Amino acid sequence: MSPQADYATIVEAFSRFRDAEPEPKGELDHVNAFTLVVAVALSAQATDAGVNKATRELFRIADTPEKMLALGEEGVIEHIKTIGLYRNKARNVIKLSRILVDDFGGQVPSSRAALVSLPGVGRKTANVVLNMWFKMPAQAVDTHIFRVGNRTGLCPGKDVDAVERAIEDQVPAEFQQHAHHWLILHGRYHCKARKPMCGTCIIRDLCAFEEKVIQPA
């Protein structure tokens, strides 16, 4: 874990992220809040590309909790069986659809506590939905963000909860809405786990990582 970067370094780093990608977007396909919840829940231990391929037809025919319930668990399985843990995920999709219909009038709630009460929806999934759909400055920390936060020193922490708090506490408000997207994209395409592309990194001079790979990967 690198030491916590100072305020000026954090501001400069996120200013560069913003200049490079002013409006970063999540890479999971969805058409409404419900399909976003389902897509993020399905993405656990799966790639966004794999989830998008599996849900393309699923969301065409079942883009509401009511339609998902009508499709049924076996119907969901037929669409998502290329995704890891598909049986358990299909079961959770049906369960959360039932709860949304019975307890929330078929609408996705805008409360973290309500979201995490849904089967298959953890804090990270809830934060993605709050950020991407409800435009709240919630920080969804995954393995990419955990790695980037600790390598760079921008938001270090011993676990994902600590990194989430570090982003909330250390990153200025003007960057909060897009902070987790900038960090995840940086980790996914530049600050990679095994071969970080330090040679072409836009924050290389600000980064606290001591084992920089100077040549582009």
Side-chain angles (χ1 to χ4, degrees), residues 26 28-37 39 52 55 59 132-133:
L28 284 171
D29 293 341
H30 60 283
V31 297
N32 54 29
F34 172 68
T35 54
L36 178 58
V37 170
N52 289 341
T55 58
F59 292 161
M132 290 180 62
W133 192 260

Side-chain angles (χ1 to χ4, degrees), residues 31-74:
V31 297
N32 54 29
F34 172 68
T35 54
L36 178 58
V37 170
V38 173
V40 181
L42 294 178
S43 70
Q45 300 182 49
T47 65
D48 287 358
V51 172
N52 289 341
K53 183 177 180 180
T55 58
R56 191 170 296 120
E57 180 65 14
L58 174 64
F59 292 161
R60 189 185 70 79
I61 62 176
D63 59 356
T64 68
E66 294 84 357
K67 291 177 182 177
M68 197 68 74
L69 288 172
L71 185 61
E73 187 174 326
E74 290 303 317

Side-chain angles (χ1 to χ4, degrees), residues 77-154:
I77 286 175
E78 281 303 305
H79 289 281
I80 69 168
K81 59 187 178 183
T82 57
I83 300 175
L85 306 175
Y86 66 90
R87 289 191 181 279
N88 188 57
K89 290 177 179 180
R91 191 174 305 115
N92 283 335
V93 167
I94 293 300
K95 286 181 178 179
L96 73 84
S97 296
R98 173 53 63 194
I99 292 172
L100 288 176
V101 170
D102 290 348
D103 298 345
F104 297 99
Q107 301 299 308
V108 173
S110 58
S111 152
R112 181 185 288 117
L115 285 167
V116 298
S117 73
L118 300 174
V121 176
R123 186 179 180 88
K124 186 186 80 170
T125 297
N127 282 349
V128 170
V129 175
L130 292 174
N131 182 280
M132 290 180 62
W133 192 260
F134 295 106
K135 305 304 179 185
M136 297 181 186
Q139 308 302 333
V141 177
D142 69 352
T143 55
H144 294 298
I145 297 174
F146 182 77
R147 179 175 67 255
V148 172
N150 279 295
R151 269 185 181 169
T152 62
L154 293 176

Side-chain angles (χ1 to χ4, degrees), residues 196-213:
M197 300 170 69
C198 302
T200 56
C201 176
I202 62 173
I203 63 166
R204 186 179 69 186
D205 58 313
L206 306 173
C207 175
F209 187 42
E210 295 182 354
E211 300 174 25
K212 291 186 179 69
V213 181

